[in-house]
Amino acid sequence: METTINNNNNDNGYMNQAYVGSLNASTISIPGAYKPNESSNGKKTLSEGSGSAPPPGHGDSPSGVEAGQPGKKRDSWNNDIEFLMSCIALSVGLGNVWRFPFTALENGGGAFVIPYLIVLILVGKPVYYLEMLLGQFSSRGSVKVYDFSPIMRGIGYGQVLATGIVTTYYATLMALTLRYFVDSFYPTLPWSYCREEWGTECLDSGPQEASRATSLAGSGVRTTSAEFYFTNIILREKASIDDGIGYPSWSLALALAVAWIVIAGIMFKGVKSSGKASYFLALFPYVVMLVLLVRALTLPGAFDGVLYFLRPQWHKLLEPQVWYAAVTQVFFSLAICFGNIIMYASYNRFGHNIYRDANIVTTLDTFTSLLSGVIIFGILGNLAYENNTTDIASVVNGGPGLAFISYPDAIAKFKWLPQLFSVLFFLMLFVLGIGSNVGMASCMSTVIKDQFGHLKNWTVVVGIAIVGYFLGLLYITPGGQFLLNLVDYFGVTFVALVLAIFELVTIAWIYGVKRLCRDVEFMIGIKTSLYYRICWAVVTPLLMLTILIYTLVLYEPLKYKDYTYQSGVYVFGWCLSAFGVGQVLFWAIPAVRKQPSHLGLWARIRKAFEPLPNWGPSDPQTLKRYQLFVQEGNANALFRRSSIWHKIYDNIFG
């Protein structure tokens, strides 16, 4: 009898299959002696005591056949390093360099850093490791992984929908980087100087004579030419979208096409090709960031900006919007609760040490976010110095355009070959975007191929690229940023938060933390620490639920800069949120209907919460060993107390 809530007999329900009884016990390692922890070179790793080596085909082989599809070969990484590099390329991306600085700026600088680090420890790391475990253990994508509780499969579909929305506008950010990349080859950087039509409120971003800089002091806060260039020339941004969003920019449309061609080219052969590209995608950006760090910290006034970024404002910790921003930033940066991590881990060999990889990626992601923050706020400190003001937050508008204003402004101040640094920087941004977008688009392609196994990989990839391109045209119109802001809130961040709560409750209390920890020990031979157990079961879901409730209670209509959307737009936004979250109910209905017809309604619902008979490792021999392993564990659990409080305690502390 398993000790999980609402699902006491799950294992017994699927373990008592005919073929389990036919297993030859003499050929199977008994739990306690069996150590499923060999590496691909045959050397033992992570062993805890002596014991017999794992039988052939266990931890030292790739995923093997597709889970749930006998005979169908599943792709796998060429080696373990490619998986790590791909996770770094996915998680360390524009979310760190582009989104983190403007989110910090909008939420008080140092006031945001403390909640961000707390949320990272209590939400980011536990969920990242959790999703890695599920993907590798089951060799299933972000939808099929819910074979452990089919009635909740809608969580996976809702997350894929949110991923699809992010993918479409993420590619448009790459189009912006390509436009800047091309503009960087001009003899004079086109955003480094003011145009006559921008008036006297414009401040040249390029180097200025000391005498001219002094004459500008005391003239009030002015707008840099880099900001004017981004708003008026690149985006052609409108003051409102009451009369429509306008037509796409032809130059950005061309750049968007190039971006999707590159994405599709890397995805053409699945993880075999994307894995090879991951080395460059993961490592190159750090070279450029270190150069920019040195330049930013040598600018006058940079120290004040960095201090604003790092100095905590403790009263801000009581504002739920700051915590909400921290949670969504962790989701966006680490790419958790979107299905991407589950998908990447599903291509691992069964015994790979993902505990190590999860710690490496989450630590590196945090370091990169803080590094980007220091660079950006160092530049903002310089802008405040140039404008003769101490108000760091007032020198530039927040929002997604911050990385396309502050970074170019800093590059324009280089006195030695600014074009070279500009080319390197926007190439870095493009590389970061490629790494993340390939992961998100691969998540969608995996779900499609799981549902329609007869489709060839290239047809799925081309289809995603074409649809993504035409949807992306909406975001490169004069009103595109208004639309991006809307769908990012209602279609992505809100949906991701709600579905993340469903995901954690499903895994921790329907499948069970205890059962998950048992699976981890079977797979990689590591006992799960109390930190992860408590976070998965209690702290993480409660923290996210609290933030969601406070956010809804204190909800204010979404704005873009100072613009308030029309009432019909808000209705559309909430309908988009309802559609994403509603996938949970939509896909629960067929899961119940598939249960045996002779059962009553409540019995069918209850059975839909139970794992499918083939839930577990994809390799047939490993699956049989796992099922016997579970069966013996259930036999031991029969002698434990069965009160609700004992079940709760046992589920968390095991």
Side-chain angles (χ1 to χ4, degrees):
M1 180 172 62
E2 187 63 280
T3 54
T4 57
I5 307 304
N6 297 330
N7 198 20
N8 297 336
N9 298 314
N10 284 354
D11 287 333
N12 291 334
Y14 77 89
M15 284 305 304
N16 295 330
Q17 306 296 321
Y19 62 84
V20 175
S22 65
L23 292 176
N24 183 356
S26 64
T27 65
I28 300 173
S29 300
I30 303 301
Y34 171 43
K35 302 293 180 183
N37 52 7
E38 281 198 359
S39 63
S40 57
N41 60 10
K43 296 180 180 179
K44 290 186 179 181
T45 59
L46 305 173
S47 295
E48 296 177 10
S50 61
S52 54
H58 180 73
D60 54 349
S61 65
S63 300
V65 298
E66 187 82 39
Q69 300 185 43
K72 184 179 178 181
K73 180 72 175 179
R74 183 175 180 82
D75 290 339
S76 61
W77 301 105
N78 294 311
N79 55 63
D80 295 344
I81 296 297
E82 285 189 5
F83 167 70
L84 176 61
M85 290 297 174
S86 296
C87 286
I88 293 173
L90 170 68
S91 297
V92 181
L94 293 184
N96 306 88
V97 179
W98 163 68
R99 199 177 194 275
F100 179 85
F102 85 72
T103 304
L105 179 66
E106 291 178 339
N107 291 277
F112 175 76
V113 174
I114 299 299
Y116 173 76
L117 293 176
I118 293 174
V119 169
L120 179 79
I121 294 171
L122 299 181
V123 176
K125 285 190 66 174
V127 176
Y128 199 92
Y129 183 44
L130 174 68
E131 294 193 331
M132 271 191 171
L133 290 171
L134 287 173
Q136 179 171 304
F137 178 76
S138 65
S139 298
R140 289 164 168 85
S142 57
V143 172
K144 279 187 171 292
V145 74
Y146 285 93
D147 284 354
F148 69 79
S149 184
I151 198 172
M152 305 304 292
R153 190 168 287 155
I155 298 173
Y157 282 107
Q159 290 173 339
V160 170
L161 176 65
T163 299
I165 294 174
V166 176
T167 304
T168 57
Y169 74 64
Y170 215 89
T172 64
L173 300 176
M174 295 166 62
L176 292 175
T177 65
L178 282 178
R179 170 65 189 272
Y180 272 91
F181 177 78
V182 173
D183 288 349
S184 300
F185 288 94
Y186 281 97
T188 301
L189 295 177
W191 59 82
S192 64
Y193 59 92
C194 296
R195 273 63 162 180
E196 185 177 348
E197 61 269 23
W198 296 344
T200 58
E201 294 301 314
C202 180
L203 175 68
D204 285 343
S205 292
Q208 299 179 26
E209 298 275 343
S211 59
R212 183 168 183 264
T214 303
S215 67
L216 292 173
S219 58
V221 176
R222 307 172 73 194
T223 302
T224 63
S225 59
E227 184 170 352
F228 271 114
Y229 185 78
F230 178 69
T231 304
N232 297 346
I233 295 181
I234 299 295
L235 297 181
R236 304 171 297 131
E237 191 168 86
K238 305 171 65 174
S240 75
I241 56 172
D242 292 341
D243 58 344
I245 60 175
Y247 296 96
S249 162
W250 71 267
S251 60
L252 292 180
L254 181 61
L256 182 62
V258 173
W260 273 111
I261 289 172
V262 174
I263 294 169
I266 293 178
M267 292 175 56
F268 204 76
K269 293 185 179 180
V271 295
K272 295 294 185 183
S273 55
S274 64
K276 289 182 172 63
S278 64
Y279 295 96
F280 178 75
L281 297 176
L283 299 177
F284 172 75
Y286 288 100
V287 177
V288 182
M289 289 187 69
L290 290 176
V291 174
L292 289 173
L293 176 67
V294 173
R295 177 54 183 159
L297 293 181
T298 55
L299 292 171
F303 178 76
D304 294 331
V306 174
L307 196 61
Y308 177 82
F309 172 59
L310 297 177
R311 182 190 294 124
Q313 300 178 39
W314 300 109
H315 67 279
K316 287 275 190 177
L317 298 182
L318 301 178
E319 297 181 11
Q321 282 301 119
V322 175
W323 290 91
Y324 177 79
V327 170
T328 54
Q329 173 59 29
V330 167
F331 283 1
F332 196 99
S333 179
L334 286 174
I336 58 175
C337 299
F338 287 101
N340 307 318
I341 306 302
I342 293 175
M343 177 273 301
Y344 266 171
S346 70
Y347 297 114
N348 273 347
R349 61 183 178 87
F350 187 74
H352 176 64
N353 182 11
I354 48 176
Y355 177 79
R356 174 198 60 206
D357 288 357
N359 280 300
I360 291 174
V361 176
T362 52
T363 302
L364 191 60
D365 180 85
T366 306
F367 168 77
T368 308
S369 292
L370 295 176
L371 177 63
S372 301
V374 169
I375 295 172
I376 277 285
F377 280 88
I379 296 169
L380 294 181
N382 173 253
L383 294 180
Y385 174 85
E386 296 283 354
N387 282 288
N388 196 30
T389 180
T390 58
D391 187 1
I392 304 295
S394 69
V395 297
V396 67
N397 288 326
L402 181 63
F404 296 102
I405 297 171
S406 297
Y407 281 125
D409 182 80
I411 292 172
K413 289 179 169 57
F414 280 48
K415 295 180 179 179
W416 182 78
L417 289 179
Q419 293 86 354
L420 173 62
F421 290 102
S422 184
V423 167
L424 289 175
F425 171 72
F426 288 108
L427 178 60
M428 177 197 73
L429 278 190
F430 186 74
V431 168
L432 287 170
I434 284 287
S436 298
N437 224 331
V438 164
M440 292 184 289
S442 297
C443 181
M444 293 190 294
S445 69
T446 299
V447 172
I448 294 172
K449 288 186 293 183
D450 283 349
Q451 297 299 317
F452 307 99
H454 62 282
L455 293 177
K456 294 183 178 180
N457 186 71
W458 72 267
T459 59
V460 176
V461 170
V462 171
I464 290 174
I466 292 174
V467 173
Y469 174 76
F470 283 105
L471 290 177
L473 292 176
L474 296 172
Y475 303 113
I476 56 176
T477 59
Q481 295 300 306
F482 294 83
L483 186 60
L484 189 155
N485 187 55
L486 182 76
V487 299
D488 178 60
Y489 180 82
F490 288 106
V492 179
T493 56
F494 182 81
V495 171
L497 178 58
V498 175
L499 292 180
I501 296 171
F502 276 111
E503 176 186 332
L504 283 170
V505 171
T506 301
I507 297 170
W509 295 105
I510 295 177
Y511 187 66
V513 169
K514 180 184 176 182
R515 187 183 300 176
L516 177 65
C517 296
R518 174 202 62 197
D519 296 345
V520 174
E521 187 172 4
F522 177 82
M523 179 172 64
I524 58 177
I526 293 178
K527 288 188 177 295
T528 306
S529 68
L530 194 60
Y531 157 69
Y532 284 111
R533 286 174 174 266
I534 294 177
C535 283
W536 290 339
V538 181
V539 177
T540 305
L542 280 182
L543 177 60
M544 292 195 294
L545 181 62
T546 302
I547 293 171
L548 175 62
I549 293 173
Y550 269 92
T551 303
L552 291 174
V553 170
L554 301 179
Y555 170 76
E556 295 180 358
L558 180 71
K559 293 183 178 181
Y560 176 68
K561 296 182 178 178
D562 294 325
Y563 173 76
T564 301
Y565 296 92
Q566 295 181 354
S567 57
V569 176
Y570 292 113
V571 172
F572 167 78
W574 284 115
C575 287
L576 184 61
S577 296
F579 182 73
V581 176
Q583 298 297 309
V584 177
L585 178 61
F586 180 81
W587 292 99
I589 296 173
V592 173
R593 295 184 63 182
K594 287 181 180 179
Q595 302 308 315
S597 57
H598 67 274
L599 297 176
L601 176 60
W602 290 111
R604 294 171 73 179
I605 292 175
R606 181 182 178 83
K607 191 168 181 61
F609 280 99
E610 299 177 2
L612 295 180
N614 67 342
W615 165 252
S618 63
D619 177 68
Q621 295 301 318
T622 308
L623 177 62
K624 290 181 180 180
R625 289 191 291 273
Y626 168 69
Q627 289 172 330
L628 184 62
F629 178 79
V630 171
Q631 196 175 40
E632 292 175 348
N634 291 341
N636 294 332
L638 288 173
F639 303 99
R640 296 178 182 173
R641 295 185 180 183
S642 58
S643 69
I644 185 67
W645 297 111
H646 283 97
K647 291 178 181 178
I648 293 174
Y649 179 88
D650 195 43
N651 182 49
I652 300 174
F653 299 101

